Amino acid sequence: MSAGAPRGAGGESRGAGGLRASLAGLTTRGRSFLAAGVAAALCAYVLGQGELLRVGLLLAVLPLICVFALHRTRHRVSGSRRLTPMRVPAGSEARVQLRMENVSRLPTGLLMLQDRVPYVLGPRPRFVLDRVEPGGRREVSYRVRSDLRGRYPLGPLQLRLTDPFGLVELTRSFSTYDTLTVIPRTEPLVPVRLTGETSGYGDGSRRSLALAGDDDVIPRTYRRGDDLRRVHWRSTARYGELMVRREEQPQRSKATVLLDTRGVAFEGAGPDSAFEWAVSGAASTLVHLLEQGFSARLLTDSGTSAPGNGGSGGFSSGGQESAEAAGLMMDTLAVVGHSDGAGLTRAYDAVRSGGGHEGGGFAGAGGDGLLIAFFGDLDDVQTEVAAKMRGRCGAGVAFVLDSALWAGRPSRVEARVGRLRDAGWTALAVPPGVAFGELWRRAGNAPLGTGTSGGWG
């Protein structure tokens, strides 16, 4: 269902247990009426007072009539919910619109509408609706907001029905619900460049084929219908027959964003923690790369990747498929948490073999494309594993978030960063509180390692 489409349109409320549940909906006033009626009837029987008996029966029967009336009309109210948008960045608001419709032939009494929402989205919204005429509609709306990424269910919608006398109050629930996806915050990034080239093309990168010159073009024999503007005259003179240039199949530049999710690599929690900074940085990078025309993928330390297997080897494709892949990667980052792994071996194997684990594989990774990594704490062993990853890509940029540095303790992050630079990474240590956009700009002028470096736009 597309974003903003109504959920539960035409759906009807359902009871919780038949007439017995309806009897349990008697309010304090209704129970008092029932008890007073029964007491008056007993007194009238003992004293032989017929008029008192009629009063007692009226007091006792009136709540029961209200219970029966509400029980019979519990399926006569329908509701729908519209969530706009269904995916929002952390800290942004989404609007929820509720619509109630009385599909019965009788007017309703006072209605209290309540929607279930997680506490992180704010207080539970409640609305009081006056009498709704037969066939009438009422619309109300509220807003939800979360500073924490994740997937949050909205609903089911609850409706409290009351009779005109306030003797019975029944709660009915609708069966449908929506899910609000809160994705990480992203920052707009400026195009930057490192020296060198990557294969394929993209803003800020150059195709290797274009540097070879016209002499290296591989022609083929002219076929009827070929455009004469593609005739390769030098080959025609050489072979003595009309030759044309082959159709070039341009290949998009590839980029991998590696997110270290190891629980042992990060300390602290909350929106201002180092891990949330890394998740937000990975999301910003992916959005920027896709905007610049790259074919991108998201890889974690466990070896899983998004968007996963596909015709483009796990990378996002162009056009509509690229937008769908971007949504899938943002949805993945919305719920990503700490992994139980202690090392980066699976991520290294995925980069080395060109395939991911657990159905998230990709192909064609080795020695080609850009690798941007967000690392947590690195000990000596994991630093060496990360250093070896650089040899499997055309260019590597690493942002290292050291827990000791973020906690204000003595840190060895500079030594780790230096080792990565020696292996050819463009590596930067991430101090607490720095904006990712600033580090991104600094990456374009950061000291380069001894390995081959690449460029991106």
Side-chain angles (χ1 to χ4, degrees):
M1 185 171 295
S2 61
R7 294 293 301 271
E12 296 179 342
S13 58
R14 51 185 175 85
L19 187 58
R20 181 176 299 179
S22 299
L23 287 171
L26 285 171
T27 63
T28 302
R29 181 186 298 177
R31 295 176 188 273
S32 300
F33 267 61
L34 184 60
V38 172
L42 290 175
C43 292
Y45 176 77
V46 172
L47 300 176
Q49 297 290 330
E51 295 182 357
L52 182 58
L53 178 61
R54 287 192 291 270
V55 173
L57 290 177
L58 176 62
L59 293 176
V61 171
L62 183 59
L64 299 179
I65 293 177
C66 294
V67 168
F68 182 76
L70 284 183
H71 174 73
R72 293 291 296 175
T73 60
R74 70 185 187 278
H75 293 296
R76 305 293 180 85
V77 180
S78 66
S80 64
R81 180 192 297 105
R82 183 185 297 270
L83 174 61
T84 310
M86 302 185 72
R87 183 190 290 120
V88 295
S92 299
E93 290 185 342
R95 184 171 180 265
V96 183
Q97 185 175 3
L98 306 175
R99 184 171 69 175
M100 303 301 303
E101 181 178 2
N102 181 14
V103 296
S104 68
R105 297 180 180 180
L106 299 175
T108 67
L110 192 67
L111 302 179
M112 191 171 98
L113 199 60
Q114 176 178 279
D115 208 8
R116 288 187 177 182
V117 299
Y119 72 95
V120 296
L121 298 182
R124 181 169 294 182
R126 293 182 175 91
F127 305 93
V128 177
L129 304 180
D130 292 333
R131 176 180 177 273
V132 182
E133 66 280 2
R137 298 178 181 178
R138 298 290 187 272
E139 292 187 359
V140 293
S141 63
Y142 65 95
R143 296 185 180 274
V144 290
R145 178 182 180 273
S146 175
D147 292 327
L148 300 175
R149 56 186 177 81
R151 292 174 62 87
Y152 302 102
L154 301 178
L157 187 64
Q158 292 183 332
L159 184 66
R160 291 186 181 180
L161 306 173
T162 61
D163 66 285
F165 304 102
L167 302 179
V168 186
E169 182 179 272
L170 301 181
T171 300
R172 307 301 181 192
S173 296
F174 294 85
S175 59
T176 58
Y177 67 93
D178 286 271
T179 300
L180 175 66
T181 302
V182 181
I183 62 176
R185 294 185 181 93
T186 58
E187 296 184 38
L189 304 178
V190 298
V192 295
R193 174 190 289 278
L194 299 178
T195 58
E197 291 108 8
T198 59
S199 66
Y201 68 86
D203 292 348
S205 62
R206 290 171 289 176
R207 296 189 60 206
S208 301
L209 181 61
L211 300 178
D214 196 275
D215 289 337
D216 292 334
V217 174
I218 302 177
R220 63 170 174 81
T221 305
Y222 173 82
R223 298 171 185 169
R224 184 175 180 180
D226 285 338
D227 190 348
L228 292 178
R229 290 175 296 182
R230 291 175 41 232
V231 172
H232 192 254
W233 297 109
R234 183 174 299 179
S235 297
T236 298
R238 179 183 303 173
Y239 295 105
E241 58 180 326
L242 200 60
M243 307 291 289
V244 297
R245 295 181 178 86
R246 294 181 183 273
E247 290 283 356
E248 295 180 354
Q249 301 295 331
Q251 180 183 4
R252 304 175 72 204
S253 297
K254 296 180 179 180
T256 298
V257 176
L258 171 61
L259 176 62
D260 184 1
T261 64
R262 296 173 297 140
V264 298
F266 296 93
E267 295 180 4
D272 297 327
S273 64
F275 181 67
E276 293 301 322
W277 192 101
V279 173
S280 178
S284 301
T285 302
L286 286 168
V287 171
H288 179 72
L289 291 173
L290 292 173
E291 288 177 350
Q292 297 299 316
F294 276 75
S295 179
R297 66 186 171 195
L298 171 66
L299 176 68
T300 66
D301 59 285
S302 61
T304 58
S305 66
N309 282 323
S312 54
F315 289 88
S316 60
S317 302
Q320 182 64 26
E321 294 182 4
S322 180
E324 294 176 358
L328 178 58
M329 288 185 281
M330 291 299 106
D331 289 344
T332 301
L333 289 174
V335 297
V336 68
H338 291 299
S339 68
D340 297 329
L344 300 171
T345 304
R346 289 186 177 181
Y348 171 73
D349 291 340
V351 174
R352 180 185 61 179
S353 62
H357 299 275
E358 302 177 6
F362 49 84
D368 156 90
L370 175 65
L371 175 61
I372 302 177
F374 295 84
F375 293 120
D377 290 342
L378 297 175
D379 56 20
D380 292 338
V381 175
Q382 302 311 317
T383 300
E384 291 303 319
V385 175
K388 290 190 295 182
M389 290 185 191
R390 173 59 186 83
R392 301 294 175 175
C393 57
V397 183
F399 299 94
V400 184
L401 296 91
D402 184 75
S403 295
L405 182 64
W406 277 66
R409 302 192 303 266
S411 172
R412 295 186 59 190
V413 65
E414 289 300 331
R416 314 298 190 196
V417 169
R419 176 65 188 94
L420 295 179
R421 289 174 180 170
D422 292 341
W425 285 90
T426 298
L428 293 89
V430 180
V434 66
F436 177 63
E438 175 62 26
L439 281 185
W440 180 262
R441 286 189 293 268
R442 288 172 52 189
N445 300 318
L448 299 179
T450 56
T452 304
S453 57
W456 77 90

